[in-house]
Amino acid sequence: LDPALRALFKSDMREQGAKLMQMIGVAVAGLHAPEALVPTLRGLGRRHRGYGVEDRHYATVGEALIWTLGQGLGPAFTAEAREAWLAAYTLLASVMQAGAAEADAAAA
């Protein structure tokens, strides 16, 4: 969706995709107790800031995720499922962005 972001991915894209899917799996499994996920997600956000990820990039990733789920799940990706995934991704992204902001504050 944004070819300029390709430069952020230094390793194999299949490996990056596997890491993303693993993290999404962990996050979804932990949504029943999000407070347990917060430290991990904040740390992930701090690390991603170090890789050059900016807050605006989270919207692009979210859009790509929702599109991919729609393509993969087809008719099973109902409006209700879409809204649930959007809510989950928004929560994950906002906690990661908070971690990135902590990294910015520490560096300042």
Side-chain angles (χ1 to χ4, degrees), residues 37-106:
L37 285 174
V38 168
T40 300
L41 292 170
R42 283 183 184 251
L44 192 59
R46 285 190 296 273
R47 284 194 307 280
H48 277 72
R49 180 67 92 219
Y51 304 147
V53 174
E54 300 172 13
D55 285 346
R56 64 187 175 89
H57 299 151
Y58 287 88
T60 304
V61 171
E63 186 179 341
L65 174 64
I66 297 303
W67 181 86
T68 300
L69 289 168
Q71 294 299 301
L73 296 174
F77 195 57
T78 63
E80 183 179 66
R82 183 180 189 281
E83 290 306 312
W85 274 101
L86 278 172
Y89 178 76
T90 299
L91 172 65
L92 301 175
S94 66
V95 175
M96 287 179 66
Q97 288 171 310
E102 291 169 0
D104 292 344

Side-chain angles (χ1 to χ4, degrees), residues 7-44:
L8 295 174
F9 298 94
K10 308 293 186 211
S11 64
D12 182 286
M13 288 303 290
R14 286 186 191 153
E15 180 183 334
Q16 291 293 322
K19 287 179 182 179
L20 174 63
M21 294 311 297
Q22 179 183 15
M23 187 59 211
I24 289 172
V26 167
V28 168
L31 284 175
H32 66 280
E35 64 281 353
L37 285 174
V38 168
T40 300
L41 292 170
R42 283 183 184 251
L44 192 59

